[in-house]
Amino acid sequence: MPLFRSAGPHRLPRLDALVYGGDYNPEQWPEDIWAEDVALMRQAGVNLVSLGVFSWALLEPEPGVFDFGWLDRVFDLLAAGGIAVALATPTAAPPPWFARANPDSLPVTRDGRRLGAGSRQAICPSSPAFAEAAVRIAGKLAERYGHRDNLMLWHVFNEYMAPTGECYCEQSVQHFRHWLRDRYTNLDSLNEAWGTTFWGQRYGDWDEIDAPRTAPSAVNPAQRLDFARFTDAAWLECFRRERDAIRTHSPDIPVTTNFQDARCKGLNQWAWAAEVDVVSNGHYLVAEENENHIGLALAADLTRGVAAGGSWLLMEHSTSAVNWQERNIAKRPGEMARNSLAHFARGADGIMFFQWRASRFGQEKFHSAMLPHGGTDTRIWREVVELGATLAVLGEARGAQVAGDVAVVWDWESWWALELDWRPSADVRYVDQVRRWYEQLWRSHLTVDFVAPEAELGRYPLVVVPSLYLTTEAAAKNLRGYVEAGGTLVVSFFSGIVDENDAVVPGAVPGALRDLLGITIEEFLPLRAGERVTVAAVESGPGPGWSGTIWTDDLRLREAEPFAVYEDGPAAGKPAVTRNRVGAGTAWYVSTALDGPGLKALLDRIGAARPAFAGLPETVEVVRRVGAGAEYVTVINHGEHEATLPIAGVELVVGAEVPELVVPGGQVRVVRRTV
Ligand code: GAL
């Protein structure tokens, strides 16, 4: 599927190439630099820039007074240079006059502090003043630029809910009450869903309901979960309003907003994906982490999942260091290309950066850019030019679909619920648990498709469900159907516990998945900080085992058989890993956070999925994209030593027909083979 998938009458791919470019903020520079910018963009092979992301204060210097002259000139220069534009609505940074005129549009934190305006995203999503002003500027931009030849994409706002996006002001409370009335219709239903007989919270009037602000003790978890849903919905309304204002004037140009993959907890991206024409993402490495490319792979796979397996656009990443981590480690030579091509391998049809030219001033002046402070006589610039040339030859792979080997279930609502107060262990963090499984699948050279719990799973030989604490009936039914039809399911601890109201599924735990897993859990036995337990496989008898942390269960077998047992710890002698045959398939349960080698050994033992290429060094990443008549195999060598793979075809990066593929340490190769 091409990047610009059709979700209606829109979506015309205007670029016959992979996208390459970055955020372009010409307003930070004197006008005489703009022509040089365009010339250098051409030199680097840039074909798309994201324009105007934070330019509201310049475009509308006074309420209702617009100045588009400078943007007209930038558009003209870019058009003359053959460079397309992703035009942003600048609404993530309202002008100072807006906050001054509408102090009640500034967000209020959970503990009641109103935040200041001197940064960005200082917005209450329920502010009517913001809604009106945002729609006005979005509409004006669409009216003026919607028919420009080099306009390729609309980029609404910037990273919704980064960092949090919650607001507890009076306007939000009113909006929350409306949202609750729509959801529950009457107070009896709300009282029941929220379990308000607990701690005597029964509501007799809608106006008694508040946002779940900081209170002397833990706040009703169902209320908090609904507030998370409401906040997500409130921002989605903001997006829809701007998108629809744009479409009035510019119906043919696709609209996106840049997500933040697994870093953004607040947006239920499964729902948002249906509202955008193009899925786009911004990704930044946890630079200090060893093997940070595994986190990158996870983010890219998640974004592709959100794009329903289709192509997506990497709207931002960095050429080298960012400036907002504790220690901003610079990328080493070749790392930017490896990162960029890993995104490409995992379905990105465009690679963009924050930002084109490094800012001289402001909060992000120490952030790397395509054109560094040092100009063109720099390693980064040379690598940027080289990457542009590589992407140009890889353009033929555009639209090719990534061939996923296994599915991992991902769920935002379950994440929200899992991390509320007073869970059995604060050490169970959702992304950490997903990451544990993901990492071992990555080391096994298996490509992961992230899927929603209700997604069609039939084509996967293996489906992994990490800590799906909140499991709806529909999800449980879906997982059961998958196993009955012959699938292999692996579920990890603290799954199937509560329903969509954070109420324990009636009967023995784990209610929603009990029958499928063939077990009951008599008691959760979470571990102390740093505590390790030993897990031994039943079949191989006791001996040096795997270790588990964070969690164990007092687990009873029903239909399931034990696969591994605890040798020590609070669950000593009890099953640690079980399997249950259901219909034509098998459902496994893993009741602790196994260490990496243990998890990998278990996955090997389950053996349901096999990588396309066996026997590769762990540091070699291989991902396939399948297009019409050709398959593109990207091989990224994260190790220092040369790797040889039995892949024959046309290697596109260096440009040669190869009988087998040799990838030097630190390099990337992409082979086209005929299928
Ligand atoms: C992104 C943001 C950009 C820039 C970048 C720096 O999250 O969208 O505007 O701030 O981070 O890494």
Side-chain angles (χ1 to χ4, degrees):
M1 202 188 337
L3 174 59
F4 301 103
R5 68 198 166 95
S6 276
H10 338 268
R11 308 356 72 183
L12 300 174
R14 293 194 170 199
L15 272 182
D16 193 13
L18 291 173
V19 163
Y20 188 44
D23 278 29
Y24 182 35
N25 298 306
E27 66 273 24
Q28 295 176 13
W29 296 92
E31 207 161 326
D32 55 6
I33 285 200
W34 299 353
E36 178 191 306
D37 279 331
V38 174
L40 290 175
M41 284 174 191
R42 288 175 62 84
Q43 190 184 327
V46 164
N47 54 23
L48 180 75
V49 292
S50 232
L51 199 58
V53 185
F54 299 109
S55 61
W56 194 351
L58 297 183
L59 294 171
E60 192 179 353
E62 292 170 44
V65 176
F66 298 93
D67 174 9
F68 293 115
W70 66 273
L71 191 55
D72 292 351
R73 294 194 292 282
V74 175
F75 246 104
D76 290 343
L77 274 171
L78 290 166
I83 293 163
V85 172
L87 187 57
T89 65
T91 45
W97 58 254
F98 177 79
R100 185 175 179 214
N102 304 285
D104 59 359
S105 70
L106 293 169
V108 172
T109 62
R110 201 170 165 232
D111 55 6
R113 274 179 309 125
R114 199 175 278 281
L115 298 179
S119 177
R120 59 180 171 182
Q121 291 218 8
I123 304 159
C124 159
S126 302
S127 158
F130 174 71
E132 192 190 324
V135 161
R136 187 174 60 202
I137 186 72
K140 284 276 177 202
L141 284 166
E143 203 177 350
R144 191 166 186 99
Y145 300 105
H147 300 285
R148 285 269 184 162
D149 280 347
N150 61 330
L151 177 68
M152 198 177 92
L153 186 62
W154 284 103
H155 169 316
V156 171
F157 201 80
N158 190 64
E159 294 183 335
Y160 281 101
M161 290 199 76
T164 76
E166 282 190 338
C167 179
Y168 290 78
C169 76
E170 204 34 50
Q171 294 175 142
S172 293
V173 173
Q174 296 291 348
H175 193 189
F176 183 41
R177 289 181 190 139
H178 264 98
W179 183 89
L180 289 170
R181 274 176 186 257
D182 281 351
R183 184 173 171 89
Y184 294 106
T185 320
N186 58 63
L187 277 174
D188 286 347
S189 308
L190 178 138
N191 278 311
E192 192 181 328
W194 284 11
T196 53
T197 46
F198 189 83
W199 281 1
Q201 291 160 14
R202 194 166 181 79
Y203 293 104
D205 190 319
W206 292 98
D207 287 343
E208 291 163 7
I209 300 174
D210 196 3
R213 62 186 80 249
T214 310
S217 186
V219 171
N220 184 326
Q223 180 185 4
R224 292 200 66 187
L225 183 55
D226 266 349
F227 195 69
R229 291 185 176 116
F230 154 75
T231 301
D232 177 43
W235 282 114
L236 187 55
E237 258 181 64
C238 294
F239 168 76
R240 283 203 198 106
R241 264 195 304 266
E242 287 194 38
R243 179 199 62 194
D244 296 348
I246 288 169
R247 283 191 179 157
T248 310
H249 303 285
S250 178
D252 296 331
I253 303 295
V255 182
T256 192
T257 182
N258 45 339
F259 297 142
Q260 269 197 330
D261 57 71
R263 291 180 306 143
C264 184
K265 184 174 177 183
L267 292 197
N268 183 349
Q269 291 172 34
W270 297 131
W272 281 69
E275 306 281 345
V276 298
D277 299 320
V278 172
V279 168
S280 65
N281 189 51
H283 178 261
Y284 292 93
L285 295 176
V286 181
E288 214 171 324
E289 203 175 81
N290 290 326
E291 299 185 301
N292 52 28
H293 49 266
I294 300 180
L296 180 157
L298 187 157
D301 285 344
L302 181 61
T303 305
R304 184 181 70 259
V306 168
S311 304
W312 52 278
L313 176 63
L314 181 69
M315 184 67 89
E316 291 178 23
H317 70 149
S318 66
T319 56
S320 188
V322 300
N323 66 315
W324 43 264
Q325 297 181 358
E326 295 231 342
R327 283 158 291 275
N328 296 296
I329 309 298
K331 293 189 183 178
R332 300 326 300 139
E335 193 173 351
M336 177 191 72
R338 287 198 298 281
N339 292 167
S340 301
L341 296 175
H343 285 292
F344 156 79
R346 293 176 188 275
D349 268 357
I351 304 296
M352 300 181 72
F353 293 93
F354 175 82
Q355 61 179 331
W356 162 250
R357 190 187 272 273
S359 301
R360 277 192 52 232
F361 41 75
Q363 291 89 322
E364 298 189 313
K365 56 184 168 293
F366 297 123
H367 196 291
S368 59
M370 298 177 83
L371 185 58
H373 291 299
T376 53
D377 189 14
T378 52
R379 174 185 65 80
I380 290 182
W381 173 254
R382 285 185 283 276
E383 290 194 17
V384 162
V385 173
E386 199 179 320
L387 178 61
T390 301
L391 292 175
V393 295
L394 296 180
E396 62 170 82
R398 171 175 166 271
Q401 297 271 293
V402 173
D405 300 308
V406 301
V408 172
V409 168
W410 177 282
D411 190 48
W412 270 275
E413 291 211 352
S414 187
W415 180 4
W416 300 340
L418 174 66
E419 294 182 3
L420 292 172
D421 298 330
W422 292 9
R423 285 2 191 172
S425 170
D427 293 337
V428 187
R429 309 298 295 175
Y430 184 64
V431 179
D432 292 352
Q433 292 312 315
V434 176
R435 169 69 191 251
R436 247 169 211 284
W437 287 92
Y438 184 89
E439 191 169 320
Q440 298 313 319
L441 293 164
W442 188 94
R443 292 186 195 288
S444 305
H445 305 285
L446 292 166
T447 301
V448 168
D449 283 349
F450 281 101
V451 294
E454 297 85 15
E456 167 57 47
L457 301 170
R459 76 177 195 77
Y460 296 104
L462 175 66
V463 175
V464 178
V465 182
S467 301
L468 191 68
Y469 164 70
L470 184 162
T471 306
T472 61
E473 260 181 55
K477 194 161 164 246
N478 188 43
L479 298 176
R480 182 171 190 97
Y482 165 73
V483 177
E484 281 173 347
T488 301
L489 184 77
V490 184
V491 176
S492 82
F493 60 91
F494 210 38
S495 292
I497 310 299
V498 297
D499 64 14
E500 54 271 36
N501 298 319
D502 197 52
V504 172
V505 179
V509 172
L513 300 174
R514 186 173 54 227
D515 293 342
L516 177 58
L517 299 173
I519 56 168
T520 55
I521 293 167
E522 208 160 305
E523 201 171 16
F524 304 131
L525 302 174
L527 301 177
R528 293 180 164 78
E531 186 178 357
R532 280 185 181 275
V533 291
T534 313
V535 175
V538 169
E539 287 170 6
S540 56
W546 309 328
S547 66
T549 52
I550 298 179
W551 194 274
T552 59
D553 287 319
D554 182 350
L555 188 155
R556 267 212 243 156
L557 300 170
R558 286 167 57 213
E559 297 78 21
E561 47 176 331
F563 176 79
V565 292
Y566 290 108
E567 288 195 326
D568 49 26
K574 305 266 179 181
V577 179
T578 64
R579 69 183 154 192
N580 191 32
R581 299 198 197 284
V582 177
T586 309
W588 293 74
Y589 178 67
V590 183
S591 66
T592 186
L594 283 178
D595 60 4
L599 211 53
K600 182 142 184 329
L602 177 64
L603 283 167
D604 288 347
R605 172 63 189 75
I606 293 171
R610 304 241 167 268
F613 302 96
L616 299 177
E618 207 174 88
T619 46
V620 172
E621 181 175 355
V622 182
V623 188
R624 295 177 304 134
R625 290 182 71 167
V626 183
E631 175 178 271
Y632 298 89
V633 188
T634 303
V635 181
I636 305 169
N637 187 351
H638 296 282
E640 289 172 11
H641 306 293
E642 184 177 282
T644 305
L645 291 89
I647 304 176
V650 178
E651 199 292 308
L652 297 168
V653 176
V654 174
E657 178 109 31
V658 294
E660 61 174 7
L661 182 66
V662 178
V663 188
Q667 299 278 307
V668 186
R669 296 289 181 265
V670 182
V671 178
R672 182 214 304 132
R673 356 189 249 186
T674 313
V675 285

